[in-house]
Amino acid sequence: MRKPIDVLNSLKYHADDSSYKYKRLYRNFYNPGFYYQAYLNIQSGQGNMTCGVDSQTIYGVSQNRIESIISKMKDCSYRPTPARRVCIPKAKGKHRPLGIPSFNDKLIQEVCRMLLESIYEPTFSNLSHGFRPNRSCHTAMLSIRQQFKETKWFIEGDIVSFFNNIDHHVLTDILRERIRDEQFIALVWKFLKAGYMEFQSFQKTYSGTPRGSIISPILSNIYLDKLDKYMEEYISSFNERKMTISKVHELDNALNKVPSIMAMDDNFKRLSYMRYADNFLCGVIGKKEDAVAIKTDIANFLNSKLHLELSNDNRLITHGKDKVKFLGFEIFVNESYGRTARKFNGLIKIYVPNVKWVKRLQEYGALKIKYVDGKEIFEPIHRNYMVNNDDLEILNQFNREICGMYNYYRIADNVSVLNNFYYVMSYSMYKTYAAKYKTHISSIRRKYGVKKFAIPYINEAGKECKAYFYDKGFRVNRKVKEPRKVDLMLELL
């Protein structure tokens, strides 16, 4: 049996050749090495101790268990078990359905994902950032910051229930463009049609990819890569600039009367595009009529080629000076005036929406908003459900929540607004300790430190240590770190 790394490298080698067709992929499911590699890939992931409908978890994975899976793959008797469906709360009282597959299915799906990623990842568009190696929300936002300068109109891409509406026949037809292995295609088909269990009742799946499954992200990217490629061609034909020599001299003479970046004239149009999963954003330099036409063309493509529906909400076309929401951030085009401010005019600004950190405080139970004479008064409150926790547990949870918020929004131009978030969190923490020990905030701060708040503890080696409350501030940091397997979304969307 070939080593998995050699097989995957071989697949990548042929990826850029669009005429190359991949055959005999399915035989890799007979290779025990792939399952051991799949186990290593997913063993530390979140949710491994969450069982599917077969009640099995990562515990119990053995050579015999893998040999049993391979035996079923060889005689094609393997059938995925229905996913166990749970609902995850979202904003505005909505819920997101999440399917939890069995661990055997997770192993096979991870093998499938590795094969598909080796084939498709090298050819995916640079305009796509979701669920991809070394890409994240941060890389998407920083690309927008660089490429969307001087945008006059934003177009928000809102695909109606994308993950639930992926057409299975369209998806398998897309796979067949590169893969000539019907056993492999049939395996993907089995996962798409596996169904789910909800309230002890089996439900069939007629469309969509299984949310929560390992292969859903790569399959969604394969599906929407068709949109990315369409947009690349669309941008190429839209971005035209016809400039005569006399026009150049005219603009040169008027240089000090216009912004430092020349946004548009009657002969200048530009279109930018960026996608993260099923969310995409377009930036248009041109007239509003251009933006409307682009949105219509995208909607027609999605409907005719991918059987998807783009929301027809007119509010999804926004003027550049107004804030547009994308991946939990607010984006707008900076307008600066004056001689020294010209160089900042037309630059993209990325902001932390106030509603995000306020909402997060309320979800944590750290904030109470009172209204006095029509004005909002923020009052930090103790978190009653934490008062029975260990002192170190309380501190660590507050630190995790503060650092999590900062790590996601650290690229924002106004990230310092999180000082307000920090203030409420710090006093909520003091009040939580005060409630635990039935005393006052002043006593707690004297006990654990006013300037450097720290909780003493004994480590595993029996040594006395101190854990400090976060106090490193909130500065802009645009250094992109390698994203985790689960991206830093924090369910902020």
Side-chain angles (χ1 to χ4, degrees):
M1 292 287 184
R2 296 175 66 191
K3 293 181 179 179
I5 187 65
D6 294 333
V7 175
L8 298 177
N9 285 336
S10 177
L11 297 177
K12 291 177 182 177
Y13 178 79
H14 297 286
D16 289 328
D17 181 2
S18 60
S19 64
Y20 186 84
K21 309 300 179 186
Y22 291 90
K23 302 175 182 178
R24 300 199 299 175
L25 287 177
Y26 188 80
R27 65 177 181 173
N28 291 298
F29 291 95
Y30 308 156
N31 185 344
F34 267 102
Y35 296 96
Y36 295 131
Q37 184 61 53
Y39 175 83
L40 292 175
N41 289 351
I42 65 178
Q43 65 172 337
S44 59
Q46 294 181 353
N48 278 335
M49 295 310 300
T50 305
C51 61
V53 296
D54 61 355
S55 301
Q56 293 184 339
T57 66
I58 191 172
Y59 284 135
V61 174
S62 62
Q63 183 176 351
N64 290 337
R65 188 169 171 180
I66 290 174
E67 288 176 354
S68 175
I69 294 173
I70 292 174
S71 176
K72 292 180 180 180
M73 297 300 288
K74 284 182 176 180
D75 64 16
C76 297
S77 63
Y78 167 75
R79 293 289 183 276
T81 57
R84 181 170 66 87
R85 173 166 284 194
V86 296
C87 289
I88 307 299
K90 287 181 63 178
K92 300 178 181 178
K94 296 182 180 179
H95 290 82
R96 172 183 294 157
L98 182 68
I100 302 174
S102 70
F103 195 77
N104 282 1
D105 290 347
K106 288 181 181 179
L107 280 177
I108 297 172
Q109 286 186 25
E110 176 60 15
V111 176
C112 188
R113 184 203 64 79
M114 288 190 287
L115 297 172
L116 289 172
E117 185 176 277
S118 297
I119 295 170
Y120 287 98
E121 174 60 32
T123 66
F124 280 157
S125 171
N126 286 329
L127 304 177
S128 165
H129 288 257
F131 311 129
R132 297 183 60 188
N134 301 319
R135 291 172 180 253
S136 64
C137 292
H138 287 169
T139 62
M141 296 304 301
L142 294 177
S143 295
I144 288 173
R145 188 172 184 270
Q146 181 63 33
Q147 299 174 23
F148 281 53
K149 295 175 182 176
E150 288 291 345
T151 289
K152 293 301 176 185
W153 299 97
F154 288 112
I155 305 172
E156 297 178 66
D158 182 15
I159 300 175
V160 178
S161 300
F162 166 69
F163 286 97
N164 293 330
N165 289 324
I166 290 177
D167 189 300
H168 294 168
H169 294 282
V170 173
L171 176 57
T172 51
D173 287 344
I174 292 174
L175 292 174
R176 286 190 177 100
E177 292 176 5
R178 297 300 310 269
I179 298 172
R180 296 290 175 84
D181 184 338
E182 286 303 312
Q183 279 186 296
F184 183 86
I185 300 294
L187 177 63
V188 175
W189 185 263
K190 287 178 183 179
F191 282 119
L192 294 174
K193 297 296 186 181
Y196 59 91
M197 296 294 294
E198 188 171 31
F199 304 117
Q200 299 183 339
S201 176
F202 173 74
Q203 304 292 330
K204 292 182 178 180
T205 47
Y206 298 98
S207 64
T209 56
R211 298 291 293 271
S213 74
I214 290 173
I215 59 170
S216 182
I218 185 69
L219 291 178
S220 66
N221 270 338
I222 292 170
Y223 202 81
L224 285 181
D225 186 59
K226 290 294 184 181
L227 172 62
D228 299 337
K229 296 298 194 295
Y230 169 76
M231 291 304 300
E232 287 178 342
E233 295 179 3
Y234 198 107
I235 289 169
S236 179
S237 63
F238 185 86
N239 291 357
E240 297 177 353
R241 185 169 188 173
K242 300 176 181 179
M243 189 74 68
T244 64
I245 296 298
S246 60
K247 185 67 175 177
V248 171
H249 287 308
E250 179 185 340
L251 291 174
D252 186 56
N253 292 333
L255 180 62
N256 291 324
K257 300 179 181 179
V258 297
S260 59
I261 302 175
M262 204 280 291
M264 61 175 278
D265 58 36
D266 291 340
N267 297 307
F268 180 39
K269 294 181 180 181
R270 189 177 70 194
L271 171 62
S272 301
Y273 163 86
M274 197 62 59
R275 181 176 67 83
Y276 187 97
D278 58 331
N279 300 288
F280 67 84
L281 186 70
C282 295
V284 181
I285 294 179
K287 300 177 181 179
K288 185 175 182 179
E289 289 78 6
D290 295 318
V292 173
I294 292 167
K295 183 174 181 290
T296 299
D297 290 339
I298 295 174
N300 290 338
F301 173 82
L302 288 172
N303 184 263
S304 62
K305 300 297 183 181
L306 300 179
H307 300 174
L308 298 172
E309 181 184 352
L310 187 67
S311 174
N312 60 3
D313 191 340
N314 292 330
R315 292 173 296 178
L316 299 182
I317 296 179
T318 309
H319 195 276
K321 68 180 180 181
D322 298 323
K323 291 183 175 72
V324 62
K325 291 180 175 60
F326 190 67
L327 301 183
F329 292 84
E330 288 180 338
I331 305 169
F332 64 96
V333 179
N334 187 58
E335 287 189 337
S336 298
Y337 300 97
R339 191 177 186 85
T340 60
R342 284 178 58 248
K343 64 179 181 180
F344 301 109
N345 198 24
L347 300 182
I348 292 293
K349 289 288 188 180
I350 302 173
Y351 270 24
V352 182
N354 284 341
V355 66
K356 291 295 182 181
W357 61 264
V358 173
K359 177 185 174 184
R360 186 63 56 174
L361 289 169
Q362 291 177 311
E363 290 174 350
Y364 290 154
L367 173 67
K368 179 181 180 181
I369 299 179
K370 299 189 298 185
Y371 293 89
V372 179
D373 297 330
K375 295 181 179 180
E376 285 187 345
I377 304 296
F378 283 15
E379 180 184 347
I381 56 177
H382 77 278
R383 296 162 72 171
N384 192 54
Y385 60 91
M386 295 176 63
V387 296
N388 293 323
N389 292 357
D390 179 81
D391 284 359
L392 187 60
E393 290 177 340
I394 295 173
L395 179 72
N396 287 340
Q397 183 164 342
F398 274 94
N399 277 341
R400 281 194 301 269
E401 292 162 351
I402 292 169
C403 292
M405 180 67 74
Y406 173 56
N407 285 338
Y408 188 78
Y409 282 115
R410 60 187 171 81
I411 65 172
D413 293 279
N414 71 332
V415 68
S416 61
V417 75
L418 292 185
N419 281 300
N420 298 324
F421 175 80
Y422 180 78
Y423 172 83
V424 175
M425 288 289 277
S426 60
Y427 273 87
S428 174
M429 182 185 68
Y430 301 148
K431 288 186 175 183
T432 300
Y433 281 115
K436 176 177 180 178
Y437 291 107
K438 296 179 174 57
T439 185
H440 302 287
I441 288 178
S442 57
S443 299
I444 292 297
R445 299 191 70 181
R446 282 195 300 270
K447 179 179 179 181
Y448 294 121
V450 176
K451 292 184 177 181
K452 296 280 288 186
F453 190 92
I455 299 295
Y457 70 98
I458 306 298
N459 66 12
E460 294 179 354
K463 183 180 178 181
E464 290 187 5
C465 301
K466 284 187 176 181
Y468 290 91
F469 184 49
Y470 179 84
D471 64 349
K472 296 179 181 179
F474 303 95
R475 296 181 179 88
V476 176
N477 179 359
R478 296 196 176 102
K479 183 178 179 181
V480 176
K481 301 177 182 178
E482 183 175 341
R484 303 193 304 264
K485 287 225 175 204
V486 178
D487 203 2
L488 299 170
M489 289 296 288
L490 291 179
E491 294 299 329
L492 290 168
L493 305 185

